[in-house]
Amino acid sequence: MEAALKTIWDIHTNKELLWIKWVHGTYLKNLNIWQVEVKTRDSWMWKQLLKARKKAVALCGSLENLQSLIRSCCRNSKIKLSALYLALSPTENRVPWSTTIWGGFNYPKHSFISWLAVQDRLLTQDKLIRRGIIQTNQCILCSGAEVECRNHIFFDCKFSQDVWNKIMDWLCFKWRCCDWNQLLNWYSFSLLGKSFKHSVKRMAFTSSIYNIWMERNVRIFNQKCKTVEQLVKLIKVDLMTTIINSKIDAESKNWVLSL
Ligand SMILES: [Zn+2]
């Protein structure tokens, strides 16, 4: 599937290659590679390509997710197949954090960003510096008090610490920690199973990662800032919306309402 995705990406980025021009003229016409549907008279190869596209979109939850995943595997605008392979290989059964991140109450978009965070694939500033894309590294959440890397932004940064502590307060967590590795261990080994409270706590984790990452992006790209309280509210709304819309027993409902 990785090789097929590389081909799809080459078509998407419209590489200056003769065969890509041919593909555009023959198969795509005015459509793009993500929209085009399979036709019965298409060649076997083309059908395989679109089949791989469909499978990859399903795996990532959405086309947008797939595209950002592929982008995260590019170095100097070239796809690293080994990185793509690792990102797409079925990890469900072999990594302890998979239950923390996927399924249950988790929103697919939260799962996806958390999945990238766990694999340290989000394009944080430390990575952009290494690739020569930017020259300085200042965490935008704490106004440049520290440099931005995965472990800082989740949840070592003063801003995300405040968000995370407030969420833990709200859910009556007894155990407190803002260290990424310890947190991930705790979530992967101690918060397993179908218990309602555990599911809610797992969702709090992925929703916090997602909302903090989005806040970081909005600050960088749109120069708009939310306060700790506003972000905490967003995470609570995410959690409450899912919980209220799911079938839960009376005891669980009372617990949620008492929060
Ligand atoms: Zn910071």
Side-chain angles (χ1 to χ4, degrees), residues 154-167:
F154 313 110
F155 297 92
D156 186 49
C157 178
K158 178 77 183 73
F159 178 86
S160 38
Q161 250 183 44
D162 286 351
V163 171
W164 183 234
N165 278 324
K166 282 191 183 339
I167 292 296

Side-chain angles (χ1 to χ4, degrees), residues 139 141-142 146 152 157-158:
C139 170
L141 296 178
C142 56
E146 302 217 23
H152 172 72
C157 178
K158 178 77 183 73

Side-chain angles (χ1 to χ4, degrees), residues 54-245:
K54 193 176 167 193
K55 206 171 148 192
V57 170
L59 194 68
C60 295
S62 77
L63 177 58
E64 206 184 22
N65 287 347
L66 173 64
Q67 290 179 343
S68 43
L69 179 77
I70 299 178
R71 259 182 228 113
S72 80
C73 297
C74 287
R75 300 285 177 278
N76 306 321
S77 69
K78 272 193 192 143
I79 292 188
K80 272 189 81 181
L81 279 183
S82 54
L84 195 59
Y85 174 76
L86 262 183
L88 289 168
S89 54
T91 47
E92 298 288 307
N93 300 324
R94 60 181 168 84
V95 277
W97 46 263
S98 62
T99 2
T100 306
I101 306 293
W102 298 103
F105 287 141
N106 295 316
Y107 285 81
K109 63 179 182 183
H110 294 178
S111 299
F112 185 70
I113 294 295
S114 306
W115 186 40
L116 291 180
V118 167
Q119 297 186 76
D120 201 6
R121 281 176 180 280
L122 291 171
L123 284 180
T124 39
Q125 293 185 49
D126 56 330
K127 294 195 193 67
L128 297 175
I129 281 215
R130 281 204 296 274
R131 294 182 190 187
I133 297 169
I134 53 170
Q135 270 69 50
T136 52
N137 180 351
Q138 292 185 311
C139 170
I140 196 147
L141 296 178
C142 56
S143 313
E146 302 217 23
V147 292
E148 184 191 88
C149 63
R150 192 267 317 266
N151 289 21
H152 172 72
I153 209 163
F154 313 110
F155 297 92
D156 186 49
C157 178
K158 178 77 183 73
F159 178 86
S160 38
Q161 250 183 44
D162 286 351
V163 171
W164 183 234
N165 278 324
K166 282 191 183 339
I167 292 296
M168 290 200 285
D169 267 348
W170 179 57
L171 292 175
C172 315
F173 275 60
K174 285 192 194 76
W175 185 75
R176 292 302 182 89
C177 178
C178 288
D179 175 83
W180 174 264
N181 291 319
Q182 280 192 47
L183 260 177
L184 200 63
N185 270 339
W186 161 257
Y187 268 83
S188 308
F189 296 106
S190 308
L191 284 183
L192 297 174
K194 287 196 163 60
S195 133
F196 175 72
K197 284 186 187 177
H198 284 188
S199 307
V200 173
K201 287 177 181 179
R202 287 200 296 264
M203 191 192 171
F205 185 60
T206 57
S207 179
S208 300
I209 292 175
Y210 174 83
N211 281 292
I212 287 171
W213 182 247
M214 287 301 132
E215 172 62 12
R216 176 260 189 205
N217 290 341
V218 167
R219 286 190 185 196
I220 291 180
F221 301 115
N222 299 342
Q223 283 92 40
K224 282 185 191 153
C225 289
K226 282 192 192 68
T227 60
V228 167
E229 284 68 28
Q230 286 170 322
L231 209 65
V232 166
K233 199 172 168 192
L234 272 184
I235 298 168
K236 286 183 181 178
V237 168
D238 274 350
L239 263 77
M240 289 307 252
T241 313
T242 309
I243 293 167
I244 286 164
N245 289 316

